[in-house]
Amino acid sequence: MSYSTQMEAARQGILTEQMKVVAAKEQIAPEKLMQLLAQGQVIIPCNRLHTALQPNGIGASLRTKINVNLGVSRDCQDLDMEYQKVKAAVEMGAEAIMDLSSSGDTRAFRRRLTAECPAMIGTVPIYDAVVYYHKPLRQITAQEWLDIVRMHAEDGVDFMTIHCGMNRETAARFKRNKRLMNIVSRGGSIMFAWMEMTGEENPFYAHYDEILEIFRAYDITMSLGDACRPGCLADATDSVQISELVTLGELTKRAWDKDVQVMVEGPGHMPMHQIAANMEIQKTLCHGAPFYVLGPLVTDIAPGYDHITSAIGGAIAAANGASFLCYVTPAEHLRLPNAADVKEGIVAARIAAHAADLAKGIPGAADWDYQMSTARKNLDWEKMFALSLDPDKARRYRAEAQPEKEDTCSMCGNFCAVKNTNRILDGEIVSIFDE
Amino acid sequence: MSYSTQMEAARQGILTEQMKVVAAKEQIAPEKLMQLLAQGQVIIPCNRLHTALQPNGIGASLRTKINVNLGVSRDCQDLDMEYQKVKAAVEMGAEAIMDLSSSGDTRAFRRRLTAECPAMIGTVPIYDAVVYYHKPLRQITAQEWLDIVRMHAEDGVDFMTIHCGMNRETAARFKRNKRLMNIVSRGGSIMFAWMEMTGEENPFYAHYDEILEIFRAYDITMSLGDACRPGCLADATDSVQISELVTLGELTKRAWDKDVQVMVEGPGHMPMHQIAANMEIQKTLCHGAPFYVLGPLVTDIAPGYDHITSAIGGAIAAANGASFLCYVTPAEHLRLPNAADVKEGIVAARIAAHAADLAKGIPGAADWDYQMSTARKNLDWEKMFALSLDPDKARRYRAEAQPEKEDTCSMCGNFCAVKNTNRILDGEIVSIFDE
């Protein structure tokens, strides 16, 4: 091949197989897609060793994508069982799986993902380094941190969260500017702790060019981690968050200089009225790189329902420019999610993504709703189920409460506005009781 | 008393007991509240016969309120059982209960509500007329429709949905302008059917002044029903919806001329990007009367999850000016909700309302989130549970998955960013594994 990354190919005017697949899926002209890739406004994360991948694009003009976090953990070290969860998540519509494995044989699981899973695979090398070396944190060397990145690259990972924005300057600003929730990013807090204990610069920042070379060689997408994302409404859009974003914008340009694809991770917890402004600020500071949001959760007070608080924030973020939503489950802030939580989280994220796509006018998005409402107007229940985001739940709900008449539901029965209006417009008599 | 309604009292400069209660709850100056009431920007629905009422205000500058639909039906004719649902809903934070009873002894249930329930009570006389007279729809006379309104007034109802916007002019425009879902308002469809079958004008429109006299006598709030609210995204903000809103704006002024309090009902199904514009249009056309939204649902394709589609739309609507959210449950479009559905719907509506209050800067709203995040930072689980919107679920979720360490949760365990950052800032060593 005469190019290293999709970005380099686009810049050279080469239409890759991945671009063709994505352009067809997105109902976008291949030339337009290529232009967006060349400018960094769209990414196609695709490690050349991830042969099972069915590529997807993320970014401007494309359908909003969702990510699901899974992985082996202290609670579930059974690789097969965890892989079944991954398969289920992909079937439910997740375009990406982030493997946050934090216990056991993390490498075997990661390799299984890139050997078998058609969704793009992301990882956070910081977590895995802590598991892999299994020694006191401060004894991990700068070289060892980087070795983990290289290992993940060889394992076929499509994108990695690299917490290089948490450098000594960011750490100093964080300590100067008091926040309520401090650091809530797992990787960010580990790197902050490591820097505080060793006195050294963040190796991901210090050796950023070396990481870019690795990423370029495999075509891995850089996901710039937001170590200082706000962990509560009171910290949202503060100086610590925004100044880290300034650094991430600089790192974006450095990656693009080497044709490395980039996305930027975002908040977090954030009141509704700040979300659109954050999307605008990200666009300018990070030069339009795709924005990957973790929420945002629009209130702190609903543990057990953070799939809803984040669906509200995610929908607003995506409608205002974010391209990629990390799912949040009802278990957020409380425990590791179980299978039911994962499903709830995926459905909520897909609702947010689709609602935003309708608002953004993404080609084809409104057709789905039009078909559903046509089925609804015709009281065609089988078609409504088939078109539902979760056909099983829709079918079960209706089956659990028998309606008076087969064509209505138990909510309104003979009062059904749809049925009665259809009949009147057809010149029939509507009497509600005497039929 | 020297005044009929709260609006008249406010216009005369009389500070009523209800105003004092509401002003204290809302952290607003009584004089400011009185001014908003006089201008129709705020309402305090309070039938003088509803002696159990603990009054609440709805409108500009006040906390967003939520309504829960309940009532005896073919499926549940047990008055005690249904009343227990009402009590539970009020305990979960519903400020209003709409009694949509459609079967059995509806009057006994309604009277029980106004005798015992501290929440404001709303009804839709059209539904009850159909049940009460139990005869072919077209045989109900204009006088009989009005008699039901009078009966509800005497029973102590605080606000009634009156579908007077569905007049002959609106019906003609609806027939001229094709829509996908036609009419999805139950009351609106019944009135449309009645007009089509009898050839008569909508009696609620023809005798609007007579209804206003009744409302004035008891201080009932007029809730102007939106018969033509969009029932799918394709019909949103169409000529039929907007022209009915024009009529509702005219009817608002006529009510205010008689010192009758008014709110205006709104959409419905609506894509996210149209919601803010709809709130603005409503403000001008209806002169700032409080807006009571039924959703809006931001996509049609998620039956089983419409508490989430409407939480997204409701939050955006309320942040942009709506004052009152009707809850939507996961059972919407599928069946009558059961007790679990009602709870899910209430929680989702409260999340939407609170998220909007944070965005609107309602006094005191942010304190709750600040307290929660302070507890979270301190890893004070008991306090987090106590501050949760649903303490039982939060407690249960955590209890179901034992963490490695008592102060963390099973999501991150020793990787807990909050704990590790707290420790580093306290000068401790963070090692994750060697402790």
Side-chain angles (χ1 to χ4, degrees):
Chain A
M1 278 187 294
S2 59
Y3 60 87
S4 56
T5 69
Q6 296 291 321
M7 185 178 219
E8 191 187 18
R11 285 171 167 182
Q12 292 182 10
I14 300 168
L15 190 66
T16 66
E17 280 310 308
Q18 289 84 352
M19 292 180 208
K20 286 180 201 166
V21 170
V22 170
K25 278 187 194 175
E26 302 277 353
Q27 305 179 30
I28 187 174
E31 297 68 29
K32 170 75 180 160
L33 181 70
M34 192 193 290
Q35 189 185 13
L36 291 166
L37 271 158
Q39 294 167 342
Q41 320 296 292
V42 161
I43 52 175
I44 301 179
C46 53
N47 186 314
R48 45 182 86 230
L49 300 180
H50 183 185
T51 47
L53 179 70
Q54 290 169 7
N56 268 304
I58 297 171
S61 307
L62 307 187
R63 203 165 48 75
T64 305
K65 307 303 185 298
I66 70 163
N67 171 70
V68 166
N69 294 334
L70 286 168
V72 287
S73 62
R74 202 183 55 100
D75 283 15
C76 179
Q77 299 212 355
D78 184 323
L79 266 55
D80 283 327
M81 203 187 285
E82 196 63 17
Y83 192 75
Q84 290 312 312
K85 286 192 206 163
V86 169
K87 275 183 72 172
V90 174
E91 278 161 22
M92 282 187 268
E95 287 92 1
I97 301 290
M98 281 196 83
D99 171 18
L100 306 188
S101 291
S102 61
S103 189
D105 192 350
T106 58
R107 189 162 205 195
F109 189 66
R110 187 165 56 247
R111 286 181 161 183
R112 172 135 184 215
L113 285 175
T114 58
E116 299 181 24
C117 183
M120 45 191 141
I121 304 299
T123 58
V124 187
I126 283 188
Y127 303 173
D128 196 39
V130 174
V131 178
Y132 187 80
Y133 296 117
H134 210 284
K135 62 181 178 181
L137 180 58
R138 68 199 140 147
Q139 290 177 19
I140 299 177
T141 66
Q143 192 53 52
E144 283 174 330
W145 289 114
L146 262 63
D147 287 344
I148 293 287
V149 172
R150 202 178 305 273
M151 179 171 72
H152 283 220
E154 290 164 2
D155 290 344
V157 167
D158 302 299
F159 65 93
M160 291 185 215
T161 297
I162 303 291
H163 291 89
C164 36
M166 174 44 84
N167 57 15
R168 293 193 63 78
E169 189 189 339
T170 301
R173 189 177 289 101
F174 158 65
K175 288 194 281 183
R176 277 201 307 275
N177 293 276
K178 207 170 158 48
R179 325 176 91 188
L180 177 54
M181 282 293 290
N182 294 319
I183 299 171
V184 297
S185 152
R186 227 198 278 189
S189 68
I190 292 170
M191 189 42 62
F192 174 69
W194 186 86
M195 289 193 296
E196 289 293 304
M197 292 189 292
T198 63
E200 289 183 42
E201 178 57 285
N202 177 340
F204 300 116
Y205 183 76
H207 305 284
Y208 188 62
D209 286 328
E210 194 177 332
I211 294 172
L212 291 178
E213 289 305 328
I214 299 168
F215 278 30
R216 179 182 167 88
Y218 293 85
D219 198 1
I220 295 158
T221 296
M222 173 66 68
S223 190
L224 290 167
D226 58 334
C228 299
R229 70 169 171 271
C232 63
L233 264 55
D235 294 342
T237 324
D238 73 347
S239 58
V240 182
Q241 179 203 325
I242 299 300
S243 60
E244 185 187 32
L245 193 65
V246 170
T247 302
L248 299 185
E250 292 172 354
L251 294 167
T252 297
K253 282 233 164 164
R254 284 174 60 186
W256 286 351
D257 286 346
K258 293 189 191 281
D259 302 320
V260 170
Q261 305 189 84
V262 178
M263 62 181 153
V264 179
E265 297 185 15
H269 290 236
M270 183 162 284
M272 289 173 67
H273 64 290
Q274 294 180 7
I275 297 174
N278 267 265
M279 300 303 115
E280 280 305 314
I281 290 166
Q282 190 272 347
K283 257 181 241 172
T284 56
L285 293 181
C286 299
H287 323 289
F291 209 13
Y292 175 23
V293 292
L294 318 174
L297 280 58
V298 295
T299 173
D300 305 338
I301 54 85
Y305 300 89
D306 279 325
H307 59 310
I308 300 180
T309 64
S310 71
I312 297 171
I316 298 171
N320 285 282
S323 309
F324 193 26
L325 304 180
C326 186
Y327 92 148
V328 173
T329 80
E332 186 74 15
H333 297 113
L334 296 169
R335 71 168 189 217
L336 209 59
N338 64 23
D341 296 326
V342 169
K343 181 178 174 179
E344 287 283 307
I346 292 173
V347 170
R350 288 197 65 196
I351 288 171
H354 181 65
D357 288 346
L358 292 165
K360 283 192 275 197
I362 296 295
D367 297 348
W368 187 3
D369 297 72
Y370 194 90
Q371 287 178 43
M372 171 63 89
S373 293
T374 304
R376 199 167 267 158
K377 182 249 182 89
N378 295 331
L379 300 164
D380 183 343
W381 289 93
E382 281 305 317
K383 201 154 196 177
M384 282 187 255
F385 297 147
L387 287 164
S388 292
L389 190 52
D390 180 358
D392 294 343
K393 186 176 185 186
R395 190 183 295 275
R396 174 168 55 80
Y397 255 59
R398 183 168 144 80
E400 282 172 8
Q402 277 307 105
E404 287 172 85
K405 290 283 183 323
E406 271 186 23
D407 52 357
T408 63
C409 81
S410 65
M411 170 77 94
C412 302
N414 277 339
F415 282 85
C416 178
V418 176
K419 178 179 173 181
N420 289 331
T421 307
N422 286 349
R423 294 183 64 189
I424 278 286
L425 292 175
D426 286 344
E428 293 177 34
I429 295 293
V430 170
S431 294
I432 301 181
F433 283 106
D434 62 343
E435 51 186 343
Chain B
M1 278 188 292
S2 58
Y3 61 87
S4 56
T5 69
Q6 296 291 321
M7 185 179 220
E8 191 187 20
R11 285 170 168 183
Q12 291 181 10
I14 299 167
L15 189 67
T16 66
E17 278 310 307
Q18 288 85 352
M19 293 180 208
K20 286 180 202 165
V21 170
V22 170
K25 278 187 195 175
E26 302 276 354
Q27 306 179 30
I28 186 174
E31 296 68 30
K32 170 77 179 159
L33 181 70
M34 193 194 288
Q35 190 186 13
L36 290 166
L37 272 159
Q39 294 167 341
Q41 319 297 293
V42 161
I43 54 174
I44 302 179
C46 52
N47 186 315
R48 45 183 83 233
L49 300 181
H50 183 186
T51 46
L53 180 70
Q54 290 169 7
N56 269 303
I58 296 171
S61 308
L62 308 188
R63 202 166 48 76
T64 304
K65 306 303 186 296
I66 70 162
N67 172 70
V68 167
N69 294 333
L70 287 168
V72 287
S73 62
R74 201 182 59 98
D75 284 15
C76 179
Q77 298 212 354
D78 184 323
L79 267 55
D80 283 327
M81 203 187 285
E82 196 64 18
Y83 192 74
Q84 290 312 313
K85 287 192 204 163
V86 169
K87 275 183 70 172
V90 174
E91 279 161 19
M92 281 187 267
E95 286 93 1
I97 301 290
M98 282 196 81
D99 171 20
L100 306 188
S101 291
S102 61
S103 189
D105 192 352
T106 58
R107 189 163 204 193
F109 187 67
R110 188 165 56 245
R111 286 181 160 180
R112 173 136 183 215
L113 285 174
T114 58
E116 298 181 24
C117 182
M120 45 191 141
I121 303 299
T123 59
V124 188
I126 283 187
Y127 304 172
D128 196 39
V130 174
V131 179
Y132 188 79
Y133 296 119
H134 210 283
K135 63 181 177 181
L137 180 59
R138 67 199 141 149
Q139 289 177 19
I140 298 176
T141 65
Q143 191 53 54
E144 284 174 331
W145 288 115
L146 263 63
D147 287 345
I148 293 289
V149 172
R150 201 178 305 273
M151 181 171 72
H152 283 218
E154 289 165 1
D155 289 344
V157 167
D158 302 300
F159 66 93
M160 291 186 217
T161 297
I162 303 291
H163 292 87
C164 37
M166 174 44 82
N167 57 17
R168 293 192 63 76
E169 189 188 340
T170 301
R173 189 175 291 102
F174 158 65
K175 287 193 283 183
R176 277 200 308 275
N177 294 276
K178 208 168 158 49
R179 333 175 86 188
L180 178 54
M181 283 294 290
N182 294 318
I183 299 170
V184 298
S185 152
R186 224 198 281 190
S189 68
I190 292 170
M191 188 43 61
F192 174 68
W194 185 86
M195 288 193 295
E196 290 293 302
M197 293 190 291
T198 63
E200 289 183 42
E201 178 57 284
N202 177 339
F204 300 117
Y205 183 76
H207 305 284
Y208 188 61
D209 286 329
E210 196 177 328
I211 294 171
L212 291 178
E213 287 306 327
I214 300 168
F215 277 30
R216 179 182 166 87
Y218 293 86
D219 198 1
I220 295 158
T221 296
M222 172 66 68
S223 189
L224 290 167
D226 58 335
C228 299
R229 70 170 171 269
C232 63
L233 264 55
D235 293 343
T237 324
D238 74 346
S239 58
V240 182
Q241 179 204 324
I242 299 299
S243 60
E244 186 188 33
L245 193 64
V246 171
T247 302
L248 299 185
E250 292 172 354
L251 294 167
T252 297
K253 281 232 164 166
R254 284 174 60 187
W256 286 350
D257 287 345
K258 292 188 190 286
D259 302 319
V260 171
Q261 305 189 85
V262 179
M263 62 181 152
V264 179
E265 297 185 15
H269 290 235
M270 183 162 283
M272 289 172 68
H273 64 291
Q274 293 181 8
I275 298 174
N278 267 264
M279 299 303 117
E280 280 305 314
I281 290 166
Q282 190 272 349
K283 256 182 239 171
T284 56
L285 292 179
C286 299
H287 323 289
F291 210 12
Y292 174 23
V293 291
L294 317 174
L297 281 58
V298 295
T299 173
D300 305 337
I301 53 86
Y305 300 89
D306 279 325
H307 59 309
I308 298 180
T309 65
S310 72
I312 296 171
I316 298 171
N320 285 281
S323 310
F324 193 27
L325 304 180
C326 187
Y327 90 148
V328 173
T329 80
E332 187 74 14
H333 298 114
L334 296 168
R335 71 169 190 218
L336 208 61
N338 64 23
D341 297 325
V342 169
K343 181 178 174 180
E344 286 284 306
I346 292 174
V347 170
R350 288 197 64 197
I351 287 171
H354 181 65
D357 288 346
L358 292 165
K360 285 192 274 198
I362 296 294
D367 298 346
W368 186 3
D369 296 71
Y370 194 89
Q371 287 177 44
M372 172 62 88
S373 293
T374 304
R376 198 167 267 158
K377 183 248 180 90
N378 295 330
L379 300 165
D380 182 343
W381 290 92
E382 281 305 318
K383 201 154 197 178
M384 282 187 254
F385 297 147
L387 286 164
S388 292
L389 191 51
D390 180 357
D392 293 343
K393 186 176 184 185
R395 189 183 296 276
R396 175 168 56 79
Y397 256 57
R398 184 168 144 82
E400 281 171 8
Q402 275 309 103
E404 288 172 85
K405 290 281 182 328
E406 270 186 26
D407 51 357
T408 63
C409 82
S410 64
M411 171 76 96
C412 302
N414 277 340
F415 283 85
C416 178
V418 175
K419 178 179 171 180
N420 288 332
T421 307
N422 285 349
R423 292 182 64 189
I424 278 286
L425 292 175
D426 286 346
E428 293 177 36
I429 295 292
V430 170
S431 297
I432 300 181
F433 283 106
D434 62 343
E435 50 186 342

